[in-house]
Amino acid sequence: MSGPVSAVRARAAAKINLHLGVGATRDDGYHELCTVYQAISLFDQVAATPSDGWRVDTRAEPYVDRAAVPGVGDNIVTRAGALLAELHDVEPRAELLVEKAIPVAGGLAGGSADAAATLVVLDELWDLQTPRAELLELAVQLGSDVPFALLGGTCHGSGRGEVVEPVHDPGEWWWVVVPHRDGLSTPEVYRHFDDMVPDAAAPASSDGLVRALATGDPRELAACLHNDLQRPAFDLRPALRALIALGESEGALRGLVSGSGPTCVFLCEDESHADTVAEGLRYTGHVTALTATGPAPGPAVDTD
Ligand code: C5P
């Protein structure tokens, strides 16, 4: 017989958008999207232990701006805990430790990943056995890309990004990830998109990208990467344009702003090519350059 649970943990994977087609603003203020998400092996870790109250502590890698993490009252993990507790009519009692390796406001959906991991660790800690479909409904309430964060892997996203469907992705893709300590505000980047593209129509189709994924060939994928938020992100943070050019001159197959930025990702041939490109970027740009592979799984609980 197992003893009482002392800690429940889960890894929370960063996401990148391999294709991000942005359409017009809807009546609810969100933009219609056609996107393909991929979870990559850059992980936050969320751990929950039993407690009489509610507490959230955060630790962060040096390249992550810990001061930019919202306080406990405004933190998305608190909202996740409150929604799950409310669904089951239980008190939200736990002590959470969020260890951040995903930059804050970086275009990698780190907060969304933490929220999804929080749902699964608290479901286990509180022994609720919430059906997957109900967790997905909570995820939709938490943010547009939280449903994807719950699934992981590679998914097509539509609506405001919350309608997710796994896509066939047999490849092992290698990325160099260049984070920045200073984040970009997602609403600001979308507003700038509206200024630059006032007559946006239907979001660009991801069909070509989905076909390229199925080949497993990084050169095919490189040719199809697409992000409609890249131009507004370049406009708000001009240094990103030079960074993309630098990564490509170091041999990356293609550089791309991740989501609303400012994180940039560089697709490489394989692991050793990613190591070489990362080393080159560190040498020439004095930047933090990490390597990661995708697709990575969604959060799964680990108990001790
Ligand atoms: O859904 P979430 O809270 O993560 O979205 C954050 C912000 O990003 C929204 O308030 C909105 O400004 C912008 N957004 C958007 N269209 C989407 C998704 C997000 O305009 N489809």
Side-chain angles (χ1 to χ4, degrees):
M1 223 175 86
S2 60
V5 168
S6 60
V8 182
R9 301 171 228 290
R11 292 192 307 182
K15 69 87 191 141
I16 58 180
N17 299 81
L18 307 177
H19 174 94
L20 180 51
V22 180
T25 313
R26 316 188 310 190
D27 290 345
D28 62 6
Y30 286 93
H31 292 74
E32 194 66 27
L33 300 185
C34 172
T35 189
V36 176
Y37 300 105
Q38 184 175 83
I40 60 169
S41 65
L42 173 62
F43 297 106
D44 286 353
Q45 170 129 264
V46 177
T49 46
S51 169
D52 290 339
W54 179 259
R55 190 185 155 113
V56 180
D57 287 321
T58 307
R59 287 190 203 141
E61 293 291 334
Y63 59 83
V64 176
D65 183 7
R66 188 171 163 276
V69 176
V72 56
D74 299 326
N75 200 305
I76 192 168
V77 304
T78 295
R79 297 214 319 273
L83 279 181
L84 186 66
E86 194 181 293
L87 177 71
H88 293 277
D89 201 15
V90 297
E91 285 297 318
R93 290 193 182 118
E95 187 166 324
L96 289 190
L97 174 62
V98 183
E99 293 177 280
K100 294 206 63 71
I102 307 174
V104 182
L108 294 167
S112 300
D114 297 344
T118 298
L119 290 176
V120 304
V121 296
L122 292 179
D123 189 58
E124 176 78 16
L125 187 77
W126 296 339
D127 193 20
L128 301 171
Q129 288 147 39
T130 312
R132 203 73 186 159
E134 290 182 28
L135 285 183
L136 273 168
E137 278 175 32
L138 299 186
V140 171
Q141 295 176 52
L142 286 162
S144 305
D145 41 26
V146 184
F148 168 69
L150 207 50
L151 264 56
T154 306
C155 288
H156 184 266
S158 56
R160 63 178 166 95
E162 89 286 17
V163 183
V164 282
E165 192 74 43
V167 300
H168 180 56
D169 182 5
E172 183 191 69
W173 311 100
W174 281 91
W175 300 94
V176 172
V177 180
V178 178
H180 302 260
R181 265 182 76 88
D182 294 333
L184 268 176
S185 149
T186 301
E188 192 183 341
V189 178
Y190 273 106
R191 273 197 301 275
H192 205 58
F193 171 86
D194 291 338
D195 292 342
M196 295 176 86
V197 192
D199 52 355
S205 161
S206 61
D207 290 355
L209 184 286
V210 170
R211 278 194 298 273
L213 268 177
T215 68
D217 179 347
R219 287 176 186 274
E220 299 271 344
L221 188 66
C224 292
L225 297 172
H226 175 87
N227 180 2
D228 280 334
L229 294 183
Q230 179 157 295
R231 267 197 333 127
F234 279 169
D235 230 39
L236 293 168
R237 196 66 73 80
L240 297 183
R241 197 186 285 273
L243 175 62
I244 295 283
L246 181 64
E248 291 179 349
S249 74
E250 288 298 322
L253 298 178
R254 183 84 191 279
L256 190 77
V257 169
S258 174
S260 55
T263 306
C264 291
V265 293
F266 297 90
L267 182 61
C268 297
E269 295 270 9
D270 53 27
E271 182 173 12
S272 78
H273 183 219
D275 286 339
T276 306
V277 170
E279 190 55 40
L281 274 165
R282 281 184 215 116
Y283 184 71
T284 50
H286 310 286
V287 288
T288 304
L290 313 165
T291 59
T293 183
V301 292
D302 189 8
T303 309
D304 63 30

